[in-house]
mmCIF file of all heavy atoms in Angstrom:
data_model
loop_
_atom_site.group_PDB
_atom_site.id
_atom_site.type_symbol
_atom_site.label_atom_id
_atom_site.label_comp_id
_atom_site.label_asym_id
_atom_site.label_seq_id
_atom_site.Cartn_x
_atom_site.Cartn_y
_atom_site.Cartn_z
ATOM 1 N N PHE A 1337 -13.702 63.208 -16.048
ATOM 2 C CA PHE A 1337 -13.070 62.230 -16.896
ATOM 3 C C PHE A 1337 -11.556 62.206 -16.563
ATOM 4 O O PHE A 1337 -10.911 63.249 -16.522
ATOM 5 C CB PHE A 1337 -13.275 62.595 -18.352
ATOM 6 C CG PHE A 1337 -12.679 61.593 -19.312
ATOM 7 C CD1 PHE A 1337 -13.083 60.281 -19.332
ATOM 8 C CD2 PHE A 1337 -11.747 62.054 -20.237
ATOM 9 C CE1 PHE A 1337 -12.506 59.405 -20.230
ATOM 10 C CE2 PHE A 1337 -11.190 61.149 -21.177
ATOM 11 C CZ PHE A 1337 -11.580 59.827 -21.155
ATOM 12 N N ARG A 1338 -11.052 60.976 -16.289
ATOM 13 C CA ARG A 1338 -9.626 60.877 -15.965
ATOM 14 C C ARG A 1338 -8.779 61.380 -17.120
ATOM 15 O O ARG A 1338 -9.020 61.001 -18.289
ATOM 16 C CB ARG A 1338 -9.254 59.380 -15.724
ATOM 17 C CG ARG A 1338 -8.651 59.123 -14.354
ATOM 18 C CD ARG A 1338 -8.362 57.654 -14.187
ATOM 19 N NE ARG A 1338 -9.528 56.824 -14.491
ATOM 20 C CZ ARG A 1338 -9.484 55.666 -15.135
ATOM 21 N NH1 ARG A 1338 -8.339 55.185 -15.526
ATOM 22 N NH2 ARG A 1338 -10.617 54.990 -15.355
ATOM 23 N N GLY A 1339 -7.857 62.252 -16.869
ATOM 24 C CA GLY A 1339 -6.976 62.727 -17.957
ATOM 25 C C GLY A 1339 -7.488 64.060 -18.562
ATOM 26 O O GLY A 1339 -6.721 64.769 -19.143
ATOM 27 N N ASP A 1340 -8.809 64.311 -18.431
ATOM 28 C CA ASP A 1340 -9.318 65.590 -18.952
ATOM 29 C C ASP A 1340 -10.522 66.006 -18.148
ATOM 30 O O ASP A 1340 -11.669 65.771 -18.485
ATOM 31 C CB ASP A 1340 -9.741 65.409 -20.467
ATOM 32 C CG ASP A 1340 -10.322 66.682 -21.029
ATOM 33 O OD1 ASP A 1340 -10.354 67.720 -20.312
ATOM 34 O OD2 ASP A 1340 -10.764 66.663 -22.159
ATOM 35 N N PRO A 1341 -10.259 66.691 -17.004
ATOM 36 C CA PRO A 1341 -11.312 67.057 -16.083
ATOM 37 C C PRO A 1341 -12.263 68.074 -16.645
ATOM 38 O O PRO A 1341 -13.264 68.412 -16.003
ATOM 39 C CB PRO A 1341 -10.568 67.564 -14.843
ATOM 40 C CG PRO A 1341 -9.155 67.780 -15.251
ATOM 41 C CD PRO A 1341 -8.886 67.060 -16.529
ATOM 42 N N SER A 1342 -11.965 68.595 -17.857
ATOM 43 C CA SER A 1342 -12.979 69.521 -18.449
ATOM 44 C C SER A 1342 -14.121 68.721 -19.075
ATOM 45 O O SER A 1342 -15.093 69.282 -19.552
ATOM 46 C CB SER A 1342 -12.314 70.390 -19.500
ATOM 47 O OG SER A 1342 -12.062 69.627 -20.672
ATOM 48 N N ARG A 1343 -14.039 67.396 -19.042
ATOM 49 C CA ARG A 1343 -15.132 66.574 -19.453
ATOM 50 C C ARG A 1343 -15.614 65.709 -18.235
ATOM 51 O O ARG A 1343 -14.816 65.453 -17.380
ATOM 52 C CB ARG A 1343 -14.723 65.606 -20.554
ATOM 53 C CG ARG A 1343 -14.935 66.136 -21.955
ATOM 54 C CD ARG A 1343 -13.716 66.892 -22.432
ATOM 55 N NE ARG A 1343 -13.832 67.214 -23.843
ATOM 56 C CZ ARG A 1343 -13.212 66.501 -24.814
ATOM 57 N NH1 ARG A 1343 -12.454 65.439 -24.485
ATOM 58 N NH2 ARG A 1343 -13.378 66.823 -26.080
ATOM 59 N N GLY A 1344 -16.848 65.341 -18.310
ATOM 60 C CA GLY A 1344 -17.419 64.471 -17.255
ATOM 61 C C GLY A 1344 -17.267 63.016 -17.656
ATOM 62 O O GLY A 1344 -16.973 62.681 -18.770
ATOM 63 N N ALA A 1345 -17.468 62.108 -16.676
ATOM 64 C CA ALA A 1345 -17.465 60.662 -16.960
ATOM 65 C C ALA A 1345 -18.519 59.979 -16.141
ATOM 66 O O ALA A 1345 -18.744 60.327 -14.954
ATOM 67 C CB ALA A 1345 -16.083 60.071 -16.615
ATOM 68 N N LEU A 1346 -19.174 58.988 -16.737
ATOM 69 C CA LEU A 1346 -20.068 58.110 -15.999
ATOM 70 C C LEU A 1346 -19.184 56.910 -15.629
ATOM 71 O O LEU A 1346 -18.869 56.071 -16.479
ATOM 72 C CB LEU A 1346 -21.237 57.708 -16.957
ATOM 73 C CG LEU A 1346 -22.499 57.199 -16.318
ATOM 74 C CD1 LEU A 1346 -23.566 57.032 -17.396
ATOM 75 C CD2 LEU A 1346 -22.251 55.864 -15.621
ATOM 76 N N HIS A 1347 -18.778 56.853 -14.402
ATOM 77 C CA HIS A 1347 -17.795 55.820 -13.956
ATOM 78 C C HIS A 1347 -18.502 54.486 -13.729
ATOM 79 O O HIS A 1347 -17.944 53.450 -14.098
ATOM 80 C CB HIS A 1347 -17.111 56.270 -12.651
ATOM 81 C CG HIS A 1347 -16.255 57.462 -12.788
ATOM 82 N ND1 HIS A 1347 -15.251 57.569 -13.780
ATOM 83 C CD2 HIS A 1347 -16.186 58.586 -12.045
ATOM 84 C CE1 HIS A 1347 -14.625 58.732 -13.611
ATOM 85 N NE2 HIS A 1347 -15.169 59.397 -12.594
ATOM 86 N N ILE A 1348 -19.585 54.505 -13.034
ATOM 87 C CA ILE A 1348 -20.229 53.245 -12.558
ATOM 88 C C ILE A 1348 -21.734 53.385 -12.753
ATOM 89 O O ILE A 1348 -22.342 54.355 -12.300
ATOM 90 C CB ILE A 1348 -19.956 53.010 -11.067
ATOM 91 C CG1 ILE A 1348 -18.474 52.784 -10.798
ATOM 92 C CG2 ILE A 1348 -20.787 51.824 -10.540
ATOM 93 C CD1 ILE A 1348 -18.107 52.738 -9.299
ATOM 94 N N LEU A 1349 -22.305 52.413 -13.463
ATOM 95 C CA LEU A 1349 -23.784 52.301 -13.472
ATOM 96 C C LEU A 1349 -24.137 50.826 -13.537
ATOM 97 O O LEU A 1349 -23.828 50.150 -14.552
ATOM 98 C CB LEU A 1349 -24.420 53.041 -14.682
ATOM 99 C CG LEU A 1349 -25.920 53.290 -14.606
ATOM 100 C CD1 LEU A 1349 -26.379 54.263 -15.707
ATOM 101 C CD2 LEU A 1349 -26.760 52.024 -14.714
ATOM 102 N N TYR A 1350 -24.634 50.281 -12.436
ATOM 103 C CA TYR A 1350 -25.006 48.849 -12.402
ATOM 104 C C TYR A 1350 -26.397 48.708 -11.751
ATOM 105 O O TYR A 1350 -26.736 49.395 -10.812
ATOM 106 C CB TYR A 1350 -24.013 48.026 -11.609
ATOM 107 C CG TYR A 1350 -22.715 47.800 -12.367
ATOM 108 C CD1 TYR A 1350 -21.578 48.571 -12.149
ATOM 109 C CD2 TYR A 1350 -22.683 46.773 -13.325
ATOM 110 C CE1 TYR A 1350 -20.429 48.328 -12.837
ATOM 111 C CE2 TYR A 1350 -21.497 46.533 -14.016
ATOM 112 C CZ TYR A 1350 -20.387 47.320 -13.772
ATOM 113 O OH TYR A 1350 -19.229 47.083 -14.487
ATOM 114 N N VAL A 1351 -27.155 47.745 -12.290
ATOM 115 C CA VAL A 1351 -28.468 47.412 -11.739
ATOM 116 C C VAL A 1351 -28.518 45.914 -11.519
ATOM 117 O O VAL A 1351 -28.054 45.115 -12.336
ATOM 118 C CB VAL A 1351 -29.561 47.868 -12.731
ATOM 119 C CG1 VAL A 1351 -30.931 47.375 -12.298
ATOM 120 C CG2 VAL A 1351 -29.577 49.389 -12.864
ATOM 121 N N LEU A 1352 -29.062 45.507 -10.384
ATOM 122 C CA LEU A 1352 -29.244 44.100 -10.099
ATOM 123 C C LEU A 1352 -30.003 43.412 -11.222
ATOM 124 O O LEU A 1352 -30.993 43.962 -11.693
ATOM 125 C CB LEU A 1352 -30.035 43.869 -8.772
ATOM 126 C CG LEU A 1352 -29.280 44.128 -7.463
ATOM 127 C CD1 LEU A 1352 -30.275 43.898 -6.292
ATOM 128 C CD2 LEU A 1352 -28.067 43.186 -7.331
#
Side-chain angles (χ1 to χ4, degrees):
F1337 181 60
R1338 237 179 308 142
D1340 178 3
S1342 74
R1343 271 89 170 260
L1346 200 172
H1347 294 309
I1348 295 171
L1349 194 169
Y1350 283 100
V1351 171
L1352 285 178

